[in-house]
Amino acid sequence: MINDRNSSDTLKQQANVLASCAYEDQTQWGVKARFRYHSVVEDYFTGFMLHCKGWRSVYLSLRRPQFLGTGVTNLNDLLVQGTRWGSGLVEVGISRFCPLIYGPQQGLPLLQSMAYAELAFFPLLYSLSLWCFATIPQLCLLNGIPLYPEVSSPYFSVFLLTFLSGLFKHLHEVLMDGKTIQTWRNEQRTWMIKSVTAHLYGSLDAIMKKLGLREASFMPTSKIMDGEQLTTYKKGLIDFQASTMLISPFVTLAILNVVSLAGGIIRMTVVGDWRKMLGQVLLSCYILVINYAVIEGMVIRKDKGRIALHVTLLSAVFSVMFLLVGSLILIMF
């Protein structure tokens, strides 16, 4: 609290200048740090350009956060926000400011350029890898095609240890941060859902804008706390009141993995080739355990935040079509 009126008036004037759009005029920042390229991921792009211009950053470690903001509390806003960020990152990656090309040209170290490139392309790479991760082993399992070594093979342990090491590394980071196993599970689920929806749509949006098939747009997300949605959020439940386009991909994949798991168990018990198919069965089981909330939203929950029946039916139709087309392709090749 400032009691001196003169000091208070001076502070108010300085705050008005700071809040104005002209604060950077006639300064080194205003002259040298402006860029002609505009991106929806302004924090990423600004940091990249400043490093390219020779600025150096330092890590500031303080006990209390310097900035506080409001995050989204429902799935629809999370995926819309993720789509916008994914589109902005990929858009930078396929522009003339691609970190792998523009960075070294501006004298940025190769490793730092690669780090920026990983951020720029991760929506595209995650969406492609997660869609393959959630479909190809499942289709092969239903058609009796083993992808992994037999359980008795020493190479099976290589696949198993690689998979488990990634999970336990993430779990260790979560626990060291003071969070719980439930937090780890939520982060795994969110990563999967965002990868097959927001990252996919964001990457497609950026590519279409690059090809001139779509105009640039900005999709804001609401930070307003709806009473019922906030209650659902505090209970730890996902509010599935979202666009069908955003919901149907991961619901379709959930149904596909349910069918794959059931078919794999039947194949192992009836045909008896469990040594060949155990890896793929465990993969489908892992996906369903992590995404139990999706199954719960389709079958068990009866509240307003459940997955709508028409979305479940539409996703089931997509799953059948995917199974038929995928099986036909596997038979042909």
Side-chain angles (χ1 to χ4, degrees):
M1 178 69 69
I2 299 177
N3 297 321
D4 185 0
R5 182 173 181 83
N6 292 331
S7 299
S8 179
D9 291 341
T10 302
L11 184 61
K12 183 178 180 181
Q13 292 175 2
Q14 293 176 350
N16 289 333
V17 174
L18 178 62
S20 68
C21 296
Y23 175 73
E24 62 186 15
D25 289 350
Q26 308 304 319
T27 65
Q28 186 180 16
W29 170 273
V31 173
K32 294 186 177 181
R34 287 184 176 178
F35 320 113
R36 295 182 179 179
Y37 182 81
H38 298 282
S39 172
V40 296
V41 284
E42 69 287 342
D43 48 356
Y44 166 86
F45 186 71
T46 300
F48 173 61
M49 294 303 295
L50 289 177
H51 281 141
C52 288
K53 291 179 180 294
W55 292 59
R56 294 292 179 264
S57 56
V58 296
Y59 182 77
L60 179 62
S61 178
L62 296 175
R63 291 186 176 182
R64 65 174 186 174
Q66 297 300 292
F67 301 95
L68 293 177
T70 302
V72 296
T73 58
N74 62 77
L75 185 63
N76 184 76
D77 291 341
L78 174 70
L79 296 181
V80 170
Q81 184 183 70
T83 300
R84 183 177 72 243
W85 289 349
S87 176
L89 289 171
V90 175
E91 193 173 0
V92 174
I94 61 178
S95 71
R96 65 187 181 92
F97 296 105
C98 176
L100 291 176
I101 300 175
Y102 188 82
Q105 289 177 348
Q106 300 299 313
L108 200 66
L110 178 60
L111 290 179
Q112 194 170 13
S113 298
M114 293 174 64
Y116 272 109
E118 191 273 336
L119 285 173
F121 290 106
F122 93 86
L124 178 61
L125 299 178
Y126 268 150
S127 62
L128 292 176
S129 60
L130 260 292
W131 269 96
C132 293
F133 182 73
T135 56
I136 295 178
Q138 291 74 8
L139 290 174
C140 291
L141 175 60
L142 290 173
N143 287 273
I145 303 174
L147 289 182
Y148 305 116
E150 292 187 9
V151 179
S152 57
S153 172
Y155 293 106
F156 180 80
S157 60
V158 176
F159 283 87
L160 184 61
L161 289 175
T162 302
F163 181 76
L164 293 178
S165 64
L167 295 182
F168 283 114
K169 180 179 182 296
H170 181 208
L171 178 60
H172 175 262
E173 292 174 351
V174 171
L175 295 178
M176 289 297 292
D177 196 40
K179 303 300 190 299
T180 63
I181 295 179
Q182 182 61 37
T183 302
W184 168 80
R185 182 182 174 186
N186 290 338
E187 290 188 0
Q188 287 280 315
R189 180 191 303 128
T190 303
W191 165 62
M192 291 185 186
I193 291 177
K194 288 181 67 176
S195 295
V196 299
T197 54
H199 292 165
L200 174 64
Y201 292 140
S203 300
L204 292 176
D205 183 73
I207 294 172
M208 291 176 66
K209 284 189 287 189
K210 184 66 175 179
L211 297 176
L213 301 177
R214 176 178 169 83
E215 295 183 359
S217 60
F218 182 80
M219 298 169 289
T221 49
S222 173
K223 304 297 191 303
I224 299 176
M225 295 285 191
D226 177 82
E228 187 171 349
Q229 289 181 343
L230 182 59
T231 302
T232 303
Y233 175 77
K234 289 183 176 180
K235 290 181 179 179
L237 299 175
I238 299 179
D239 184 2
F240 290 105
Q241 296 183 76
S243 168
T244 302
M245 185 178 71
L246 295 175
I247 294 292
S248 57
F250 64 82
V251 176
T252 299
L253 294 179
I255 295 174
L256 176 63
N257 277 270
V258 169
V259 176
S260 170
L261 180 61
I265 293 175
I266 294 174
R267 178 176 293 276
M268 286 195 306
T269 55
V270 176
V271 180
D273 54 355
W274 65 273
R275 291 183 178 85
K276 296 180 179 179
M277 299 300 178
L278 182 61
Q280 287 154 263
V281 170
L282 292 177
L283 178 59
S284 288
C285 184
Y286 158 74
I287 293 175
L288 291 177
V289 168
I290 294 295
N291 292 283
Y292 171 75
V294 180
I295 307 298
E296 183 184 39
M298 285 191 294
V299 181
I300 301 176
R301 286 175 56 182
K302 303 299 180 183
D303 58 287
K304 189 177 179 180
R306 69 186 185 279
I307 297 177
L309 180 60
H310 73 275
V311 175
T312 302
L313 295 177
L314 181 63
S315 300
V317 173
F318 287 155
S319 299
V320 173
M321 294 174 59
F322 197 91
L323 284 171
L324 293 176
V325 174
S327 299
L328 181 61
I329 293 175
L330 289 175
I331 292 174
M332 292 176 59
F333 293 95

